[in-house]
């Protein structure tokens, strides 16, 4: 394995597999933008879970 291949391998390991995003209210446009940003930066295989910020037991400030 070359140094480049090894570094690429380490980079892939560091990418998140799943991301949770808190959403305030009914914000479909926000969700669309966030989804595109996450997929552009972490890859199309990243699972994204959106949840309402007012959900029970949800931590919010």
């Amino acid at each position: 394995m070359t140094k480049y291949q090894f570094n690429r391998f380490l980079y892939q390991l560091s990418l998140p597999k799943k991301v949770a995003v808190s959403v305030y209210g009914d914000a479909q446009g926000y969700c669309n933008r966030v989804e595109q940003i996450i997929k552009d930066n972490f890859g199309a295989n990243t699972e994204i879970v959106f949840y309402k910020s007012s959900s029970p037991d949800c931590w919010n400030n």
Side-chain angles (χ1 to χ4, degrees), residues 20-36:
V21 180
S22 172
V23 179
Y24 179 76
D26 183 22
Q28 187 61 50
Y30 169 77
C31 292
N32 293 340
R33 286 190 308 276
V34 167
E35 180 177 16
Q36 190 60 55

Side-chain angles (χ1 to χ4, degrees), residues 8-18 41-43 46:
R8 184 74 181 151
F9 173 73
L10 289 178
Y11 172 75
Q12 289 295 323
L13 285 177
S14 69
L15 293 175
K17 304 282 188 257
K18 192 174 192 179
N41 287 281
F42 299 135
T46 305

